[in-house]
Amino acid sequence: EKGGFETFMLKEIHEQADAVAETIADRTVRTDGVDLAEEASFDEALLHGVRRIIVVACGTSFHAGLIGRYAIEEWARVPVELEVASEYRYRNPIVGEGDLVIGITQSGETADTLAAMRLARERGATVLAITNVMGSQATRDADGVLYTRAGLEIGVAATKTFICQVAVMYLLGLRLAELRGTLDVATRTRLMTELKRVPHEIDALLSGLDLEAIARQHYQREFFLYLGRHVGLPVAMEGALKLKEISYIPTDAYAAGEMKHGPIALLDESTPVVCIATDSPLLDKVVSNVQEVRARGAHVIAIASEGNIEIGEHAEQVIRIPAMDWMLQPLLAVIPLQLLAYRIARLRGLNVDQPRNLAKTVTVE
Ligand code: F6R
C-alpha cells in the first residue's frame, strides 16, 4: 500500500504533482480564467458582494491560508485576515454580513476550525469550507465547499493536502480577480498557464532533488531557524513546522525583516538557517538578510529559483526550484522543506508517519 516507498509520508510527497493536477484539472479548462461555478458543492453567488475574507484554520492549513492571503489580496484586492481557529472562536470576533469566512481543514473535522466556522455563520457571515474529505463535518457547517482532491493522506504530517489547499486558494484568487475585474485578461492568462505547469514542475523538481548530504550534515543540530519574506514567510513557517513535528528538533520561523529585533541573538556557528530566497520584488532584501545571518557565522541553506545566480555567493548551500511566477513559487519551494524534514527525521531514526503526541485528526479542542 506504500507503493514501493519506505513510508506513507514519502509516498505522499511524491504524489504531489498528481494531487495538484487533480485539484486544478476541470477548474482550469479555460485559458483566461478559473471555473468554479460548475461545482455541485459550491454556488458562485457566495462570492458576490464579499467585502472581506477571514480565513480560520489550524497548523499546516493555517499556513496554506497565509499563502492564499498574499495571492487574493494582490490579484483580487479583497482584504484577507488570517486567524488561528482556537483563538478566533474565543475572541468575540467582529464578523457578519459581507464577510466570507473560509475554514481550511484537510480532515474537515478539526474541532476548533469547525467552532470558528459555526460562530461566524451564526453571526451572519457566509462560510466556505476547503477540505479534502467528502461528507466531513466541515462540509455540513458551510454554505459552500471547495474540495482539494489530494486523495487519502495517511502520514500525520500534511504534505500533499497542504499543496492542494494552496492551489485552491490560488484558484479562488484568480476567480475573484476575474469577477472583480482586478486582473486583465493577459495577466490572468499568463497566471493560468503557469498554474497548469505546476504539476510538471513538481515532478521535475522531485526527480532531481537529493537532500541526503545536507540532511547528514545537519541532522544532529539542536535548533533550526527558517526565514522568509512576503509569500516566502508562510513557506518558512511550514518548513519549520514540518521539521519540528517529525524530527523533534526545535525550530523557529521568522519574517526575515524581524530578525534584527530579537531572533538574531540565537545565531552562532552551529545554527542552520533555512532562507526562502525565491523570486520576488523583495529578493534583494532577502539577500541582505542572508548576509546578516552569514555575518554571525550561521550556516545558510537557501531555497532559490534556477534563475537566481547571485544567491550562490551568499549561501553555503542552495536548493534549486524551477523558475515560475513568483506568487506561485510556494507550491514548489515547500517541497524541498518537506523532504529535508523527512530526511533528517529518518536519520534520527524516527517514525515519520506517526510522530509522538500527534493525531491525524484533532476532534478535541
Ligand atoms: C501538520 C498537520 C497539522 C494539521 C492541523 C489541522 O503537518 O498536519 O498541523 O494541519 O491539525 O488539521 P486539518 O487541516 O485537518 O484541520
Side-chain angles (χ1 to χ4, degrees):
E1 62 205 288
K2 291 180 195 148
F5 289 96
E6 59 191 12
T7 60
F8 283 110
M9 183 176 172
L10 191 61
K11 171 172 176 264
E12 288 156 2
I13 287 173
H14 282 86
E15 284 170 348
Q16 293 185 109
D18 286 347
V20 172
E22 268 302 308
T23 297
I24 67 172
D26 56 1
R27 294 155 166 171
T28 53
V29 174
R30 239 175 346 122
T31 54
D32 63 347
V34 165
D35 289 309
L36 302 171
E38 299 301 305
E39 307 200 14
S41 59
F42 178 79
D43 179 350
E44 210 171 59
L46 297 178
L47 302 182
H48 295 158
V50 169
R51 286 196 297 272
R52 175 173 75 147
I53 292 174
I54 302 161
V55 177
V56 294
C58 304
T60 286
S61 298
F62 179 80
H63 299 153
L66 282 174
I67 294 172
R69 163 160 73 185
Y70 291 95
I72 293 174
E73 290 198 340
E74 182 72 24
W75 297 340
R77 308 306 292 158
V78 188
V80 182
E81 295 169 20
L82 252 291
E83 302 276 356
V84 169
S86 57
E87 286 295 314
Y88 188 72
R89 61 179 291 197
Y90 292 117
R91 222 186 57 215
N92 192 12
I94 301 164
V95 62
E97 220 170 300
D99 290 328
L100 176 67
V101 171
I102 307 179
I104 308 182
T105 166
Q106 177 280 127
S107 62
E109 304 291 348
T110 298
D112 283 318
T113 305
L114 295 174
M117 289 164 64
R118 283 185 204 129
L119 176 67
R121 206 171 180 203
E122 273 160 30
R123 295 188 177 187
T126 299
V127 174
L128 173 65
I130 297 179
T131 183
N132 199 47
V133 181
M134 288 184 83
S136 58
Q137 188 58 43
T139 67
R140 293 191 286 269
D141 287 339
D143 300 297
V145 183
L146 287 174
Y147 285 99
T148 50
R149 299 172 187 156
L152 180 64
E153 187 175 70
I154 292 172
V156 164
T159 54
K160 62 176 180 170
T161 55
F162 169 75
I163 285 239
C164 291
Q165 290 168 342
V166 175
V168 169
M169 291 299 278
Y170 286 139
L171 293 171
L172 197 56
L174 286 168
R175 185 64 193 138
L176 279 165
E178 187 173 359
L179 290 171
R180 296 165 62 91
T182 47
L183 282 185
D184 59 44
V185 180
T187 307
R188 286 200 323 260
T189 305
R190 185 180 58 75
L191 288 168
M192 293 294 290
T193 309
E194 293 275 280
L195 191 58
K196 284 190 256 192
R197 203 155 64 78
V198 166
H200 168 77
E201 298 296 358
I202 291 177
D203 266 341
L205 172 62
L206 275 169
S207 66
L209 205 55
D210 184 358
L211 300 178
E212 191 64 23
I214 299 181
R216 275 198 187 278
Q217 190 179 345
H218 296 297
Y219 77 98
Q220 286 164 318
R221 302 281 185 204
E222 281 163 16
F223 172 69
F224 275 69
L225 182 63
Y226 288 71
L227 298 176
R229 278 177 179 261
H230 197 275
V231 79
L233 174 58
V235 174
M237 293 166 77
E238 176 57 10
L241 178 62
K242 285 286 97 89
L243 186 64
K244 80 173 62 140
E245 70 180 334
I246 64 172
S247 75
Y248 315 146
I249 298 174
T251 65
D252 208 345
Y254 251 91
E258 270 289 289
M259 211 182 37
K260 54 172 76 72
H261 301 285
I264 200 161
L266 290 166
L267 301 182
D268 63 24
E269 285 77 27
S270 72
T271 320
V273 180
V274 179
C275 290
I276 316 307
T278 49
D279 301 325
S280 88
L282 286 168
L283 184 56
D284 284 352
K285 295 196 188 298
V286 175
V287 171
S288 349
N289 296 133
V290 167
Q291 287 166 324
E292 288 160 14
V293 170
R294 275 295 288 283
R296 284 15 180 232
H299 185 109
V300 175
I301 303 165
I303 312 293
S305 91
E306 274 153 7
N308 181 352
I309 308 301
E310 194 201 349
I311 193 74
E313 294 161 26
H314 305 293
E316 268 83 7
Q317 278 141 339
V318 182
I319 303 173
R320 298 285 174 184
I321 62 164
M324 137 141 335
D325 179 84
W326 66 280
M327 191 68 87
L328 302 177
Q329 284 188 14
L331 288 171
L332 302 173
V334 73
I335 292 175
L337 304 187
Q338 297 167 340
L339 263 183
L340 182 65
Y342 180 82
R343 287 287 160 223
I344 288 174
R346 292 287 289 178
L347 286 167
R348 290 165 74 96
L350 298 170
N351 179 348
V352 296
D353 283 339
Q354 280 182 299
R356 70 183 180 206
N357 309 337
L358 291 174
K360 184 71 186 161
T361 304
V362 184
T363 52
V364 291
E365 71 166 283

